Amino acid sequence: MSQQYYEIINDVKYDKELLDKARELITGRGDGRISEEDAKVLVEESKDGNKVTEIEKQTLQYIVENFNCTEPAIAIILPNIN
């Protein structure tokens, strides 16, 4: 069984596990937004060996731009993109 590590959206490669986690965090609870606590979980999950890879940075950027994130969540995610 082959595990799929990436999800391709509009010809761009993203971290599938990170996108799935973001979807899980907004499904079935709260108001459907990525909260400050959710953002902390996403940032922690994005770190491979205490480093955020380029694909993970790209995925976090995609989450900020395409998911409904609170301002505190964005403030937590953005420093990990740059």
Side-chain angles (χ1 to χ4, degrees), residues 17-18 21 40-48 56:
E17 206 170 282
L18 203 51
K21 186 61 169 181
K40 290 176 185 175
V41 169
L42 291 170
V43 166
E44 191 58 38
E45 295 227 352
S46 71
K47 294 180 180 176
D48 287 337
E56 290 161 336

Side-chain angles (χ1 to χ4, degrees), residues 22-35:
R23 291 178 185 121
E24 175 189 321
L25 289 168
I26 64 169
T27 302
R29 64 187 186 100
D31 58 6
R33 295 188 298 168
I34 299 289
S35 70

